[in-house]
Amino acid sequence: MAKHNDLIILYQIKGQHRKALELLQTEKSIEGESVEKTVKYLQKLGSENMGLILQFSDWVLKKEPEKGLKIFTEDLPEVEKLPRPRILDTLLKEHPHLAIPYLEHIIHNWKEENPLFHNALIHQYREKILKDGAANSEHTRRKLVSFLEKSSQYTAENVLKDFPVNNLIEERALILGRLGKHDQAIALYVRALGDIDKAKEYCEQIFAKKGPGSQNVYVCLIKLILNADTSHLALEGVTLSPKTLQPDVELALQLLEENCFKVDPLEMLAALPDEIPVSRIQKFLSVSLRAVLQERRREELSKGLLYAEHLQCQEMKLKLQSKHVLITEMNVCPVCKKRFSNQAALIWYPNGDVVHFACHKEK
């Protein structure tokens, strides 16, 4: 055994890595020892020996997958520099059950930002959930939802195309939200899941981010509760929940009162049924009126400040225009030392110097 180890070291020193790895592979009958040695050997080879790494990692990954994956995930400079697309491609073809832990490691531990890997992790999560069934995939679904919420690197358009229309509804809503299609996302929460609480939570998150369309999310939510019709929201093929099939005016008014400062007054008034008495929306009207008055005061103040600034600019302009300098044939440009001609373009510096425009550009 000692001679065997000495021979492996000799091959390693001479750079004859294939012979060394073949000897290590013949030792695989010795419990654990050959696996550990092969893993450590492969970790040090570097990307220039990628073919050997992939070839001789295969038997290790089959024998002890968790230890074998460290060939590609150990926190070593040589390992971190290995070509990740090639590794992922090999894992997907030969060891698909290791694709998720590999992707999770490079994204969460090594902060990989390439959309290729973020899209791939979402794809792997989705396929695992659909294969195992939603009831057996609660942990994976929680990871998928969290990743869809937190990752800013995946390509939402590409990811959405592969998601089923009538399954993984919450996940689909998150992707639609990333695309800015908040009305469709909220419709899925309300009409497909029948979950008003999740719809409210979604609206709170979007409104807090102050991004495009965030000012309309509560109007959209209240409209859906007042009107169950979703024909304009592209929900074809989605099974609708019976929980929110009927309009709920009381719930809509409650949400309006709780979030009256988060909605556009004109849009909201247009959406409310005519039979709702003014007394039921008194708080909303009061808040909206105050907001309109505050906005008007802000605009008037801004207008006054801009006018004052305009007057200052006019005064400065008159002051500058009142200054003059006399140029004669005796004046000389301090840069080129030539006299000024009548047709010359000139520049007048604040310190009083006058130079040719061309000299000013060179200077």
Side-chain angles (χ1 to χ4, degrees):
M1 186 64 189
K3 289 182 179 179
H4 209 159
N5 289 335
D6 291 342
L7 188 55
I8 291 171
I9 294 170
L10 180 62
Y11 283 143
Q12 186 175 20
I13 292 171
K14 290 185 175 183
Q16 297 177 340
H17 302 302
R18 179 175 293 278
K19 291 184 177 180
L21 288 164
E22 286 173 352
L23 279 178
L24 282 169
Q25 190 170 357
T26 62
E27 293 181 6
K28 62 184 179 181
S29 59
I30 303 173
E31 191 64 34
E33 185 176 346
S34 183
V35 168
E36 294 285 354
K37 288 180 180 178
T38 304
V39 168
K40 290 180 179 178
Y41 196 109
L42 293 173
Q43 286 172 346
K44 293 292 185 179
L45 284 182
S47 56
E48 63 273 16
N49 293 296
M50 197 61 203
L52 283 175
I53 294 173
L54 294 176
Q55 179 183 347
F56 286 93
S57 64
D58 184 69
W59 75 267
V60 180
L61 290 168
K62 288 176 179 175
K63 186 176 181 64
E64 295 195 42
E66 190 172 332
K67 288 183 179 179
L69 190 59
K70 290 185 178 181
I71 296 168
F72 308 114
T73 59
E74 195 69 68
D75 290 329
L76 294 170
E78 298 90 344
V79 175
E80 286 195 47
K81 291 177 182 177
L82 294 176
R84 296 172 190 178
R86 192 172 175 186
I87 295 170
L88 177 61
D89 184 60
T90 300
L91 292 177
L92 289 172
K93 289 177 180 177
E94 307 296 335
H95 310 279
H97 59 291
L98 295 176
I100 287 179
Y102 174 70
L103 287 165
E104 287 176 338
H105 183 87
I106 66 173
I107 291 172
H108 300 316
N109 293 73
W110 290 347
K111 309 304 178 186
E112 173 62 65
E113 295 185 351
N114 189 330
L116 167 72
F117 301 107
H118 287 248
N119 292 352
L121 182 55
I122 292 171
H123 175 82
Q124 290 301 310
Y125 281 151
R126 186 193 67 244
E127 291 303 298
K128 180 173 174 57
I129 294 166
L130 294 176
K131 180 182 177 182
D132 297 345
N136 301 318
S137 308
E138 289 186 14
H139 179 61
T140 305
R141 286 199 72 177
R142 284 196 296 271
K143 290 200 291 186
L144 175 55
V145 167
S146 176
F147 191 68
L148 289 171
E149 289 176 335
K150 294 176 182 178
S151 170
S152 59
Q153 305 301 325
Y154 67 87
T155 313
E157 298 92 337
N158 296 342
V159 167
L160 184 63
K161 290 187 296 185
D162 297 323
F163 264 73
V165 173
N166 203 27
N167 200 347
L168 304 180
I169 299 297
E170 183 177 358
E171 292 83 349
R172 188 176 184 84
L174 289 170
I175 301 168
L176 286 167
R178 182 61 59 85
L179 289 169
K181 298 179 180 180
H182 301 304
D183 54 348
Q184 292 184 37
I186 295 169
L188 287 175
Y189 284 117
V190 176
R191 295 296 291 112
L193 293 176
D195 196 329
I196 301 297
D197 289 335
K198 279 193 177 294
K200 288 164 61 177
E201 183 181 332
Y202 176 87
C203 289
E204 288 169 9
Q205 292 174 352
I206 298 301
F207 187 84
K209 293 176 181 177
K210 302 297 181 186
S214 61
Q215 298 299 317
N216 297 322
V217 288
Y218 281 99
V219 173
C220 178
L221 173 58
I222 294 170
K223 279 183 177 180
L224 279 167
I225 294 171
L226 287 171
N227 186 356
D229 180 23
T230 56
S231 58
H232 63 293
L233 291 174
L235 297 184
E236 295 86 356
V238 178
T239 303
L240 302 182
S241 170
K243 296 179 184 178
T244 51
L245 185 60
Q246 300 300 322
D248 191 337
V249 176
E250 291 302 319
L251 176 58
L253 292 176
Q254 179 187 335
L255 285 171
L256 177 58
E257 186 167 335
E258 292 172 354
N259 304 282
C260 52
F261 56 91
K262 300 177 183 177
V263 300
D264 181 281
L266 295 179
E267 280 199 36
M268 198 67 261
L269 282 172
L272 292 173
D274 295 337
E275 59 269 21
I276 294 178
V278 174
S279 59
R280 296 297 307 277
I281 57 173
Q282 184 175 354
K283 181 180 177 181
F284 161 66
L285 293 173
S286 176
V287 168
S288 299
L289 181 59
R290 283 201 302 270
V292 169
L293 291 174
Q294 287 175 358
E295 180 64 19
R296 179 171 296 179
R297 283 195 292 268
R298 190 192 67 78
E299 289 179 355
E300 289 175 352
L301 177 61
S302 178
K303 183 179 177 181
L305 291 171
L306 288 171
Y307 183 67
E309 185 178 357
H310 170 71
L311 291 178
Q312 288 178 345
C313 290
Q314 290 292 100
E315 184 180 352
M316 187 181 298
K317 178 184 176 183
L318 291 172
K319 186 176 180 181
L320 290 171
Q321 287 177 339
S322 67
K323 295 182 179 181
H324 63 276
V325 61
L326 180 62
I327 301 296
T328 69
E329 294 179 354
M330 301 303 294
N331 292 100
V332 176
C333 174
V335 178
C336 67
K337 310 304 180 185
K338 295 180 182 179
R339 296 183 186 279
F340 296 118
S341 65
N342 291 335
Q343 289 79 27
L346 307 177
I347 293 290
W348 184 13
Y349 289 128
N351 65 358
D353 287 347
V354 179
V355 302
H356 289 109
F357 181 73
C359 295
H360 158 72
K361 290 180 70 175
E362 291 176 6
K363 182 178 179 181

